[in-house]
Each structure stands twice: as C-alpha cells, then as structure tokens.
Amino acid sequence: MINQVILSGNVCGDPDVKTFQDGGSIASFSLATTEKGYTTKSGTQVQDRTDFHRIVLKGGLTRTVPYIRKGDKINIVGKLTYRKYNDQSGTERQITEIIAEQVDFCTKHQDGAATAAPQQPQYQQQGYQQQPPQGQYQQPYQPQPPQDNDNLPF
C-alpha cells in the first residue's frame, strides 16, 4: 500500500517550532495550494480553488526551518496522517496533517540562495558547514528489517 502526498504551494506563515527535553524538535506550518480556475465548454467560469494543508517536519528536516519563510514556494513529498485531540472546551477534534519526508525549495532570494540564511545558522551551531539549502532534503535512510521470503510462491 502507498501513502504518498506531493504538494507544491506557498508557505502561509513562518514555521512553529517545538523543542523537546531530549533535544528533538518538530515544526509545523500551513501550505496553500491553488487549483487554477477554468471555463467549461458551455462558457461557465469555475473560480480558482485554494486549499490549506498542515505540514509537519520531524527529525533532520527541522534543520531546514530557518530557511522557510512566509510566502516561499516549496514542494513537499510526505505522507497523509490523521489524529484526534481535545480542544480547550473539551470538544474532540480531528486534524489532517502531511508528515514531510522531502522538502524542495523553489523560491530564489536576492542572495541567490534557495532562501536567505538566518542570522546564526543552525548548521553552524550543530557542527555543519554554513551553507544554505540547495535543492532537496530528505530524511536519513533508515533500513527496514529483512522480510521473510519463505512464503513466496516461486
């Protein structure tokens, strides 16, 4: 089975980052995608339709957060997830999120980088060379346990 989402859109606001006691972090932001309007054969005009998606970055992808700004155009490859929570009034709510597995930067800024570098790059703080992102970032490879092939019919 496949659970894969590919989105291309504009960032609606700067990412919200939460850091945990163990040093891990998670970031989330909204991404707007627009389906262009069109005119049917009968002459009826269909308006543009914009949808807003909640994007979640985990693990190594949170290192890209300093380079994601409101208005930037980015591409996201990820998986669709659903979760429930209780709001402040105790009402149960359901939320749909895209857990990003890959981020592609499409916006060029004046400095020629995919996006402008932050004041104190997170790369430098973590011992990485100071370089703005170029192209795509993917989650580190995580090997899967071997599958038992004894039950195959051939």
Side-chain angles (χ1 to χ4, degrees):
M1 291 188 216
I2 296 175
N3 178 1
Q4 186 174 41
V5 176
I6 301 171
L7 297 172
S8 181
N10 295 314
V11 177
C12 297
D14 293 336
D16 177 37
V17 181
K18 295 180 183 173
T19 305
F20 303 107
Q21 291 178 353
D22 66 0
S25 61
I26 190 169
S28 62
F29 59 93
S30 290
L31 187 73
T33 58
T34 302
E35 183 177 337
K36 295 292 181 192
Y38 57 93
T39 305
T40 64
K41 290 181 181 179
S42 64
T44 306
Q45 275 201 313
V46 177
Q47 298 294 320
D48 288 355
R49 178 177 165 200
T50 301
D51 292 312
F52 298 91
H53 312 276
R54 182 176 167 87
I55 308 298
V56 177
L57 304 176
K58 295 180 178 181
L61 284 178
T62 59
R63 293 185 300 206
T64 64
V65 167
Y67 304 102
I68 299 173
R69 291 193 235 156
K70 179 179 180 179
D72 285 351
K73 181 172 176 136
I74 62 173
N75 297 331
I76 298 287
V77 177
K79 61 183 177 182
L80 192 63
T81 60
Y82 303 95
R83 67 180 174 93
K84 293 180 182 180
Y85 69 96
N86 292 324
D87 65 12
Q88 292 177 349
S89 65
T91 305
E92 185 174 86
R93 304 272 183 188
Q94 182 172 339
I95 189 168
T96 303
E97 299 173 319
I98 288 84
I99 307 298
E101 296 171 346
Q102 179 179 326
V103 177
D104 295 323
F105 296 89
C106 303
T107 301
K108 294 277 187 186
H109 290 278
Q110 292 176 351
D111 61 3
T115 57
Q119 297 271 335
Q120 292 182 311
Q122 193 170 2
Y123 289 99
Q124 193 175 32
Q125 294 171 2
Q126 296 177 356
Y128 296 99
Q129 292 180 359
Q130 181 180 348
Q131 296 178 349
Q134 299 292 321
Q136 30 177 271
Y137 281 84
Q138 296 182 350
Q139 292 282 9
Y141 175 72
Q142 296 176 355
Q144 300 296 320
Q147 295 182 1
D148 182 19
N149 292 331
D150 292 339
N151 295 331
L152 294 176
F154 50 89

